[in-house]
Amino acid sequence: MAYTTGITDESKDIKDEIKALLHKRKAILLAHNYQRPEVQDIADLCGDSLELSIKASQTDAAVIVFCGVHFMAETASILCPDKKVILPVSNAGCPMADMITAKELRRKKEGLSKGKRVIVISYVNTTADIKAETDICCTSANVIQVVNSVDTSRQIFMTPDKNLAQYAIKHTGRNIVYWEGFCPVHNNLTVGQVREAKSAHPEALFLAHPECPPEILDLADEVKSTSGMIAYAGSSESREFIIGTEIGILHPLSKANPGKSFFPADPGMICSDMKKIGLREILTALQTMQPEVKVPREIREKAKGAVDRMLAIPSGDL
Ligand code: SF4
């Protein structure tokens, strides 16, 4: 594994400097559940991307330091326009979000809209440009409720994740046309790897993220978002779990459940973009207050409409 646990004297000094600068800048440090353990440990808030931005919007922080990937920092900018948003490593991107452009989405909409009324549902793991072309966003936790909220006379087009779309089709019975995007980290998990993990840990429940392919979800005891997995593992009577998502989540799962054991479905489920930010990058970002991510107003307002329409649906989960 390319990243460290961060338990060194040097990192203790860096952590102290980060804390002092966070205070001085009136900044809040957010870390996605897939971030390196040492980054999660120093963050003010850890969680799913949208959940983090919503919680940050409810604080009086002037600055958000987002330890995640670019679309997450954009979402923070969309929901917190009065706060300065910093992504410590500017090229921390998301291959799945980059699989569709706004131009491609517009072309797809035009093609589909001949004689039909199309509604675009976009997973929050998309760029701000895509959200601005979207009718309603969804998360991996509320996708079923969002799809069910759409009038049955409408043709649904979902982007960018084909696996999330197929999961929604299976659980709603709706006719959904979808973009063929995918998260390489989840899409590469194989049935053979899951079977191997299950035979190594026969008592364990298998929790899978809906970004995994349908044949993987068919093997799952539960399909959950990252925050959903943390909540489920905490309340379950089971003591062992096989986890089908990016391995960064093993850190918060183990931390929150000291008496339980968590095993990766595949130890190779590592998102290299999610590991680009370390303590040193956070410190430099706080010293320079760069690189900033700011979504232009016209895009922001349209994108926020798609997020707000999702939040208006009573789903209970994000
Ligand atoms: S884990 Fe997948 S969806 Fe998440 S940032 Fe990495 S590539 Fe994108």
Side-chain angles (χ1 to χ4, degrees), residues 28-273:
I28 187 167
L29 186 65
L30 310 182
H32 188 269
N33 288 323
Y34 298 159
Q35 289 288 295
R36 300 174 187 224
E38 66 270 26
V39 171
Q40 295 191 43
D41 285 346
I42 201 173
D44 295 297
L45 296 170
C46 296
D48 277 340
S49 63
L50 185 68
E51 170 194 2
L52 285 171
S53 287
I54 290 173
K55 284 184 179 164
S57 73
Q58 294 159 352
T59 71
D60 58 5
V63 177
I64 293 172
V65 180
F66 208 123
C67 299
V69 294
H70 196 267
F71 78 79
M72 297 179 183
E74 283 187 329
T75 304
S77 173
I78 290 164
L79 294 185
C80 314
D82 299 331
K83 301 186 195 300
K84 180 166 181 159
V85 179
I86 294 173
L87 178 68
V89 174
S90 62
N91 70 352
C94 169
M96 177 166 72
D98 292 340
M99 284 179 188
I100 184 167
T101 64
K103 196 173 164 192
E104 287 171 322
L105 176 52
R106 280 193 292 272
R107 203 178 296 146
K108 187 75 191 173
K109 276 199 277 189
E110 278 166 26
L112 281 172
S113 63
K114 295 191 174 69
K116 291 182 194 155
R117 298 170 69 214
V118 177
I119 186 159
V120 176
I121 300 179
S122 292
Y123 188 21
V124 287
N125 293 23
T126 49
T127 63
D129 285 348
I130 293 295
K131 288 187 180 77
E133 296 284 336
T134 292
D135 294 294
I136 181 164
C137 284
C138 72
T139 66
S140 54
N142 67 18
V143 59
I144 291 167
Q145 289 89 343
V146 169
V147 168
N148 280 332
S149 76
V150 175
D151 192 285
T152 50
S153 66
R154 308 286 292 264
Q155 172 63 60
I156 296 173
F157 175 68
M158 271 189 75
T159 189
D161 186 5
K162 63 175 182 177
N163 292 327
L164 189 68
Q166 289 175 85
Y167 170 71
I169 291 169
K170 181 171 179 182
H171 291 276
T172 63
R174 296 290 293 268
N175 171 23
I176 299 174
V177 179
Y178 54 85
W179 194 252
E180 291 281 341
F182 56 88
C183 163
V185 176
H186 292 85
N187 199 57
N188 285 345
L189 183 61
T190 66
V191 167
Q193 287 167 324
V194 174
R195 291 220 167 105
E196 210 174 297
K198 282 183 171 224
S199 70
H201 308 289
E203 301 301 316
L205 291 183
F206 174 43
L207 312 185
H209 193 281
E211 287 173 26
C212 294
E215 63 273 19
I216 299 294
L217 300 187
D218 286 346
L219 299 174
D221 293 293
E222 294 288 336
V223 177
K224 296 281 178 194
S225 65
T226 56
S227 288
M229 285 183 190
I230 295 170
Y232 182 84
S235 60
S236 168
E237 290 188 357
S238 190
R239 313 300 298 165
E240 295 188 357
F241 303 85
I242 296 162
I243 302 299
T245 192
E246 212 276 351
I247 63 164
I249 200 176
L250 296 178
H251 182 63
L253 279 168
S254 307
K255 218 168 145 180
N257 300 283
K260 299 187 179 182
S261 302
F262 300 93
F263 310 99
D266 165 22
M269 290 183 81
I270 299 174
C271 175
S272 54
D273 282 276

